[in-house]
Amino acid sequence: MTQPIRVIIADDHPLILLGTALSLADRKQFQVTGKARNSTELIALLTSEPCDVLVCDLAMPGGSYGDGLPMIAYIHRHFPQVRLIVQTMLDNPGILKGLQQSGVKGVLNKGDDMTLITAAVLGVMGGGAYVGPSIRKAFERVGMNEQEGGVAATLSKRESEVLRLYVGGATVKEIASSLNRSVKTISTQKMCAMQKIGVTRDADLFKYAQMNGFLNLPGDVLGPD
């Protein structure tokens, strides 16, 4: 490869931003063309600077373009040529599988060896995918591998409706009343949805909701152009 691989890095943690940049700077085949701390800075960089591979955090609150999967979807729509690697501390299989299904080419856990980022960038530039060791272990814990659909099965319309209302602050009883269903039915739909996305606690459900756009975000991030 005669030209260096042009990489943009985005993370709201300064040490991760610096560490990733230093890991890539050690290799002559990489050129870091920009660093961002939120989605506002990131989209501005992608618009103005050349980029072959984007290495970004999944959770970067405060930006105009949101974060999580809605931000990923926005990037895919507006910058389809960019290969995307996500670094995250999240280990929920539902969220991780959702990343892969959204078109993310590489997924790394921030707790993994920082030097793995070079292998990930080379892998996705070669047309492949890269899954870090901690991510593989997260899949193995629920009996799936990185190629299987498993817990990330598509939610039904009613299950999605129940989850949106629940993470929006409504109780199961209130949801049942507003949708004219029984409390038992709503409870069952909530439990089935949680099983599909691979979560067992409400705290993990709220994380999943945030990363997958179940909470309110700017319209262009969630919808088509």
Side-chain angles (χ1 to χ4, degrees), residues 157-172:
K157 183 178 179 179
R158 290 191 173 188
E159 289 167 347
S160 295
E161 186 177 35
V162 168
L163 287 194
R164 285 184 185 278
L165 291 171
Y166 188 78
V167 299
T171 65
V172 169

Side-chain angles (χ1 to χ4, degrees), residues 7 9 19-27 30 32 55 117-118 121:
V7 183
I9 307 166
T20 303
L22 288 176
S23 294
L24 294 170
D26 286 342
R27 307 282 289 273
F30 304 123
V32 176
V55 180
I117 192 62
T118 60
V121 172

Side-chain angles (χ1 to χ4, degrees), residues 212-223:
N212 286 269
F214 276 66
L215 304 181
N216 291 330
L217 288 168
D220 186 41
V221 178
L222 293 175

